[in-house]
Amino acid sequence: MSGFSEYLTSMGISPLVAGLVIGFLVGLVVRGGGSARPSGPPATATLGAAFGGSRITVTVDGVSRELSASQTQAVLDALGRNRKIEAIKALREGTGIGLKDAKDAVESLQATRATLNG
C-alpha cells in the first residue's frame, strides 16, 4: 500500500484526504445516493372529472397537484400507446415532481386503468 501512498503524495494529494473522499463516496453508494426525499408512502395519481373533462391529480407527501386538461391528455395518450417513460416525462413536466414520485404516480394510474378496463 506504500506505493499508492507515495503515488498520491507525488500528485500533491494527502493520503488522509484521499481516504476521507473514498470513504464518503462509499458511504453514498451504500446509502443509495442520498435520495432527495425520505422514503415515505409512494406518490399516487387519480383521474377525475372536472369541467366536463378528465384531470389527473397527483399527491406526493400529502400535497396535491392537478394537471391541466392538455397535460392530462398527454399522459393518458402516452399510457394508451404503452409509452410509460413518455407518460412519466409528461407528468414531471406538468407537476415538477421527482422521477421516483412520477414513476409511482404513473404506475398508480396504470393500476387504476387496468382495474377499470378489466
Side-chain angles (χ1 to χ4, degrees):
M1 192 72 174
S2 67
F4 184 66
S5 295
E6 289 173 8
Y7 173 74
L8 288 175
T9 305
S10 73
M11 298 293 292
I13 301 171
S14 163
L16 177 62
V17 171
L20 290 173
V21 169
I22 290 171
F24 175 77
L25 294 173
V26 168
L28 280 179
V29 169
V30 169
R31 277 189 39 223
S35 63
R37 179 171 91 81
S39 76
T44 59
T46 56
L47 180 60
F51 305 109
S54 296
R55 296 279 174 99
I56 294 175
T57 302
V58 178
T59 304
V60 178
D61 292 334
V63 178
S64 295
R65 297 169 179 88
E66 185 174 274
L67 293 176
S68 70
S70 63
Q71 292 166 331
T72 295
Q73 195 58 49
V75 172
L76 295 177
D77 287 347
L79 287 176
R81 293 188 317 270
N82 291 321
R83 308 276 308 210
K84 184 176 177 180
I85 293 174
E86 191 176 313
I88 291 170
K89 282 178 157 179
L91 193 68
R92 289 188 71 196
E93 288 172 8
T95 61
I97 63 176
L99 179 61
K100 169 116 175 57
D101 291 326
K103 178 182 173 287
D104 291 344
V106 166
E107 288 172 350
S108 173
L109 278 173
Q110 286 177 313
T112 301
R113 290 184 68 176
T115 302
L116 292 175
N117 295 333

